[in-house]
Amino acid sequence: MKKALITGITGQDGSYLAELLIKKGYEVHGLVRRSSTFNRHNIDHIFTTDTGRHRHLHYGDMADMNSLMSILKKVQPDEIYNLAAQSHVKISFEVPSYTAQADALGVLSLLEAVRLLGLNSKIYQASTSELYSGDRKEAPQNERTPFHPRSPYGVAKLYAFEIARVYRESYGMFVVNGILFNHESPRRGMNFVTRKIVHGVAEVAAGKRGYIELGNLDASRDWGYAPEYMEAAWEMLQQQTPGDFVIATGETHTVREFAEAAFARAGITLRWEGAGADEVGIDAASGKTLVKIDPEYFRPNEVDYLCGDAGKAFVSFGWKPRTTFTKLVEIMMDSELSKVTIQPKASKIDTQIGVGCLEITDIEKRYVNEVLESGRLSQGPFIKRFEREFAAAHDARFAIMVNSGTSALEMAVACLKEVHGWRDNDEILCPAVTFVASSNVILANNLKPVFVDIDAQTYNIDPVRDDVCKI
């Protein structure tokens, strides 16, 4: 039985590749990074027992060569698929050093570890269409098109590409570079534009949000279906001699087209008005604005046009795409629509809000995963989005996120004091059963809390009672 080691196994590509290799009879191992939160939803159905997870998933890091050598020595893989990366282009501008460590030097560490251990492992290095400049005149891009990356991510991947080639030529190692153009699926991370679109459109269709926000609508990409691209990755390691291969559909579509197709699958026809940052997508039937532009999502240096030529892969091992652009959008949209139509579980308490009763539905889980996958736990785009949507829902000009409920209460009381002309030491009614913050924010504004009895069912002050008792 062949053994395969997949770095980045928890991601979209890693999970599909693991499924493929298991079907082909491989013993599959994966490298996972240690973190305080698990992000393994893509592979939970593959490694279903504690024993399986312990045996086949190994803690390590591409930036830690010692951990790589330890795992390689233990697993002794026949094939290595290096899919691990900080793979978000926009985020690479925010964390360029980390991107270089993981995507460039991590590849060097892996290659050197294999060489030092004397392994005969075949190695697949996941490369990217972000190596190219995106100049329309160079399209379709193939293995002979000059590289000219426009982001820290692209530059890191270019180093990885070249160091893989150098180890192949210098040490006779079987190393291939798979130059994969954009490939998507329902397992795509939430911070990638395609998944962001289908997720947002599904929520708009379900009435869970008013609109979605996008960046450059005219960026053109060659989008394919991820499981088919992993078939190509496997094929590359089955060749007699190693080489580099472009994998792409040969078609290009804009972000605008992707959004139109996604809304169409939800039964909504878009029309566009305005230009630049003021352009909006409008529901042709209702006139509601469903798409807005947020310059926050613009890249500092955009790759405008990508369209790949996978002719070499077809000639070498017969690979060609099977899933059309329209079908790809349908697959992703149908997955998202099936999620938003699931009704939340019935509340455990019908007459009051439970104190300490935890109820988390799939909606909350998805949003938590979105934040974790974005790489920003605070001061990220989700905060701005929440502020805008919360303000719109309450017909307010502004909404401001703060660090805690206590801070929000303190600001609210300060505003009320200013608006209504309350004076220092004025009495403010406060429920007797509450958290200390409720009274502390009153004291912090130089007011006097007066505790009153509560309604036994709701735990709140009953505003219609005329016999409210002071405590």
Side-chain angles (χ1 to χ4, degrees):
M1 177 183 289
K2 282 187 176 181
K3 292 183 182 179
L5 173 66
I6 304 173
T7 71
I9 194 172
T10 60
Q12 167 191 260
D13 291 359
S15 61
Y16 284 122
L17 180 60
E19 290 174 349
L20 175 68
L21 296 179
I22 289 171
K23 287 180 181 177
K24 292 183 178 295
Y26 281 67
E27 180 181 308
V28 174
H29 295 257
L31 182 148
V32 293
R33 284 189 301 165
R34 181 73 177 91
S35 65
S36 58
T37 57
F38 273 19
N39 185 25
R40 300 182 182 177
H41 52 278
N42 285 335
I43 59 171
D44 281 340
H45 64 290
I46 300 174
F47 304 102
T48 57
T49 66
D50 288 340
T51 301
R53 286 187 287 269
H54 179 73
R55 180 181 177 188
H56 295 285
L57 299 179
H58 310 274
Y59 285 118
D61 196 300
M62 294 301 293
D64 180 6
M65 188 171 174
N66 287 334
S67 70
L68 295 178
M69 292 191 72
S70 176
I71 294 168
L72 290 168
K73 188 175 181 179
K74 178 180 179 181
V75 175
Q76 297 281 311
D78 299 287
E79 297 174 0
I80 300 169
Y81 296 86
N82 183 34
L83 312 181
Q86 189 301 101
S87 58
H88 198 283
V89 177
K90 176 70 163 53
I91 291 175
S92 76
F93 284 96
E94 301 176 17
V95 288
S97 292
Y98 173 73
T99 302
Q101 288 286 335
D103 299 6
L105 296 181
V107 178
L108 172 61
S109 294
L110 178 63
L111 293 168
E112 184 67 359
V114 171
R115 186 185 73 84
L116 291 175
L117 290 171
L119 300 178
N120 292 318
S121 309
K122 293 182 176 181
I123 303 171
Y124 169 84
Q125 168 57 28
S127 196
T128 171
S129 57
E130 292 289 331
L131 296 180
Y132 301 114
S133 68
D135 187 339
R136 186 183 294 263
K137 292 181 292 186
E138 295 179 345
Q141 295 94 353
N142 59 33
E143 295 83 0
R144 297 178 299 278
T145 304
F147 295 144
H148 190 102
R150 295 185 180 275
S151 66
Y153 169 73
V155 171
K157 281 292 190 177
L158 177 55
Y159 176 89
F161 180 97
E162 293 293 357
I163 200 65
R165 177 188 60 79
V166 167
Y167 269 66
R168 179 174 68 211
E169 295 176 356
S170 301
Y171 302 114
M173 296 170 64
F174 196 108
V175 186
V176 304
N177 284 296
I179 308 173
L180 274 54
F181 280 61
N182 296 72
H183 45 289
E184 317 300 318
S185 77
R187 298 180 192 175
R188 192 55 142 155
M190 283 291 189
N191 55 345
F192 288 85
V193 67
T194 51
R195 182 75 188 284
K196 177 180 159 185
I197 289 173
V198 296
H199 178 69
V201 170
E203 289 199 329
V204 169
K208 297 181 182 297
R209 74 161 80 173
Y211 56 88
I212 65 173
E213 292 180 313
L214 300 173
N216 182 4
L217 293 173
D218 296 316
S220 298
R221 294 292 183 268
D222 184 328
W223 280 300
Y225 187 38
E228 295 172 10
Y229 284 48
M230 291 303 96
E231 294 172 8
W234 176 78
E235 289 284 2
M236 292 180 204
L237 292 193
Q238 312 316 308
Q239 302 308 297
Q240 292 298 315
T241 57
D244 305 322
F245 296 90
V246 164
I247 302 299
T249 69
E251 293 184 14
T252 188
H253 298 272
T254 62
V255 173
R256 183 192 308 274
E257 290 176 88
F258 198 103
E260 289 171 349
F263 274 106
R265 187 62 174 174
I268 300 170
T269 301
L270 282 183
R271 61 181 173 85
W272 301 94
E273 292 185 1
D278 296 321
E279 186 170 12
V280 293
I282 297 173
D283 183 346
S286 68
K288 292 182 179 179
T289 297
L290 302 183
V291 181
K292 296 182 180 181
I293 304 300
D294 185 351
E296 177 78 16
Y297 295 120
F298 290 164
R299 293 184 187 178
N301 196 8
E302 182 65 87
V303 175
D304 293 319
Y305 190 90
L306 291 174
C307 182
D309 172 12
K312 180 182 176 183
F314 177 73
V315 171
S316 299
F317 46 86
W319 185 90
K320 61 180 180 180
R322 301 186 299 275
T323 303
T324 66
F325 171 76
T326 300
K327 183 62 177 177
L328 171 63
V329 178
E330 289 178 357
I331 290 170
M332 297 182 70
M333 272 303 302
D334 290 352
S335 174
E336 292 297 327
L337 288 169
S338 70
K339 296 172 186 175
V340 297
T341 54
I342 296 174
Q343 295 298 317
K345 289 180 280 187
S347 174
K348 298 180 180 67
I349 299 175
D350 296 324
T351 58
Q352 66 187 67
I353 298 174
V355 176
C357 291
L358 182 64
E359 185 172 343
I360 301 176
T361 69
D362 289 339
I363 296 173
E364 285 83 11
K365 292 176 184 177
R366 287 205 306 276
Y367 279 122
V368 168
N369 279 330
E370 280 189 53
V371 173
L372 292 175
E373 291 173 359
S374 74
R376 299 283 296 275
L377 294 182
S378 63
Q379 300 302 318
F382 288 93
I383 289 179
K384 293 183 179 179
R385 171 179 153 192
F386 180 86
E387 289 176 340
R388 286 192 295 268
E389 294 190 13
F390 192 84
H394 293 81
D395 294 322
R397 291 181 62 195
F398 306 105
I400 300 173
M401 286 278 284
V402 291
N403 68 319
S404 68
T406 302
S407 296
L409 283 172
E410 184 174 353
M411 291 178 63
V413 173
C415 291
L416 289 170
K417 183 179 181 182
E418 178 69 23
V419 170
H420 295 292
W422 296 346
R423 297 181 179 180
D424 288 352
N425 295 315
D426 277 357
E427 295 184 344
I428 307 297
L429 299 183
C430 182
V433 179
T434 185
F435 293 96
V436 69
S438 301
S439 58
N440 281 352
V441 298
I442 296 171
L443 293 169
N445 281 282
N446 294 318
L447 299 167
K448 181 180 179 181
V450 176
F451 295 103
V452 297
D453 202 357
I454 61 166
D455 180 273
Q457 289 298 312
T458 66
Y459 293 179
N460 295 317
I461 300 170
D462 189 339
V464 299
R465 287 178 57 182
D466 55 10
D467 59 342
V468 173
C469 301
K470 292 184 179 181
I471 303 299

